Amino acid sequence: MRTVLRRPEFRLLFAALLASMAAESILLLALAVWVKELTGSDGMAGATIFAIIAPMTLAPLVGWVVDRYPRRPFFVAANLATAVLLSPLFAVRDRADVRIIYVVAALYGLSYITLSAVLSGLIRQLVPSELLAEANGVLQTVRQGLRLVGPLAGAGLYAAVGGWLLVTLAMTGFLTAAAVVGLLRVAETPPAAAELRWPAELGAGLRHLAGEPALRRALLGYGLGSLVMGFTESLIFAYVDQGLRRDVAFVGVLVTVQGIGGLVGGLLSATAVRRVGEVGALAAGVTFFGPAALALAYPRLWLGVMALLLAGVSLPLTMVGLNTLIQRRTPVGLLGRVAAASEALVSGPQAVSIGAGALLVGALDYRLLFALVGVITTAAGAYLWHGRRLTPPPP
């Protein structure tokens, strides 16, 4: 990781992303806790995450817009817009205002996919191909490391002073990211004039994903796992409430534990890509989620800690493997549409599963649902591992 951090332009981008990722880490869990406190419902708390994921269905349109503009100024504008869209949260007072949280969460989800699509292209412009896995690994290490303090700090601040301070800190983070990236100097080639009508351009990212064998297997396998991974967004509240018999704020402690695993996974992710290739790293990440979910079906705190550590390791492996694969196998002019389309193909099933989980957690035993998640994600990981030779590690 030291190699990529020696590059001045990447260090500047890293500083900007540190501010925005810190804002994200303190805000996302707090929104769900906020809804739980206002409504007392596990399902409505999980539905907050569903509201964030649902706009992923607009990914093809978002990617088309991203590819039409230079990356750096677009990234600055998107961060400024994200800070502004959080401001309605200052009006939330009681249960009747929960709809404001849902609307802001949905708008934030749209912003998230936009920033992710822009960031993928910006990294590709700043970093040579042989350092892409290292760059993605650095960012995932920081993102997961922030789970050590961010969610717990966010839940603690919410419990102490309410949501207004969390909103203020989050807005500050996105404004800081915009200001720092505004200082970045990168030579950008203006996007080529469109040769196809816009309906055809919208589908270009999907056609590229379907036509490239490694990308196709990666998205099929990860998408299969995502069909049930989203259950855990609601199940974790039931696990804490019904299984461990603890207050909902304890979710923040468990997410922090997951952050420790994520920190380890982030540090190992670039090495995993070098050893087993991008699809192999993705397969390992999805497979690790299986035994973690199975362990959570048995409500014991020590076992839950081990399970969340393993689940934490899985996430950066999957993200670094998938992001590096997309960046290496996609032309620069198409990267926004491909990154956004891949986000939709993974997050679309995940959005459905989050919604289904919010409904099922009230009708079925959460332990049975955790067992189902474990079986399906293990099968998805095996499917991906079988295709790891599509992206052999470099000699």
Side-chain angles (χ1 to χ4, degrees), residues 260-279:
I260 298 174
L263 184 61
V264 174
L267 292 170
L268 296 176
S269 56
T271 301
V273 171
R274 287 195 296 269
R275 294 290 178 86
V276 296
E278 294 93 335
V279 174

Side-chain angles (χ1 to χ4, degrees), residues 108-128:
Y108 178 75
L110 185 61
S111 166
Y112 179 85
I113 192 172
T114 303
L115 288 170
S116 297
V118 179
L119 178 61
S120 187
L122 196 54
I123 293 174
R124 172 75 178 271
Q125 289 179 320
L126 293 177
V127 177

Side-chain angles (χ1 to χ4, degrees), residues 58-65 67 196-211 334 336-342 345:
L58 298 175
L61 178 60
V62 171
W64 175 68
V65 173
D67 279 338
L196 298 173
R197 291 180 298 176
W198 72 267
E201 290 185 74
L202 285 181
L206 292 171
R207 289 195 299 273
H208 180 75
L209 290 171
L334 195 60
R337 280 164 286 179
V338 171
S342 67
L345 290 174

Side-chain angles (χ1 to χ4, degrees), residues 216-389:
R216 184 171 61 245
R217 178 171 284 262
L219 268 299
L220 284 173
Y222 194 18
L224 174 63
S226 295
L227 281 171
V228 293
M229 285 179 176
F231 286 7
T232 60
E233 301 293 350
S234 294
L235 294 180
I236 192 65
F237 289 96
Y239 176 78
V240 169
D241 186 14
Q242 301 172 30
L244 300 182
R245 305 293 182 185
R246 292 176 179 264
D247 187 80
V248 65
F250 193 72
V251 173
V253 177
L254 295 182
V255 173
T256 301
V257 171
Q258 186 176 345
I260 298 174
L263 184 61
V264 174
L267 292 170
L268 296 176
S269 56
T271 301
V273 171
R274 287 195 296 269
R275 294 290 178 86
V276 296
E278 294 93 335
V279 174
L282 174 61
V286 174
T287 303
F288 286 166
F289 202 89
L294 290 171
L296 290 171
Y298 187 70
R300 291 293 182 272
L301 182 57
W302 69 269
L303 189 58
V305 168
M306 299 300 296
L308 287 164
L309 285 172
L310 188 58
V313 171
S314 78
L315 183 58
L317 287 174
T318 59
M319 298 312 299
V320 172
L322 182 61
N323 290 340
T324 305
L325 177 63
I326 290 170
Q327 290 163 345
R328 284 179 173 169
R329 303 252 175 152
T330 305
V332 174
L334 195 60
L335 194 50
R337 280 164 286 179
V338 171
S342 67
E343 193 76 53
L345 290 174
V346 172
S347 299
Q350 190 172 14
V352 173
S353 70
I354 290 173
L359 296 174
L360 291 173
V361 72
L364 298 175
D365 191 318
Y366 75 93
R367 293 169 293 184
L368 176 62
L369 295 174
F370 267 130
L372 178 65
V373 173
V375 171
I376 293 179
T377 51
T378 300
Y383 169 77
L384 287 165
W385 185 254
H386 185 69
R388 68 190 183 280
R389 292 182 180 83

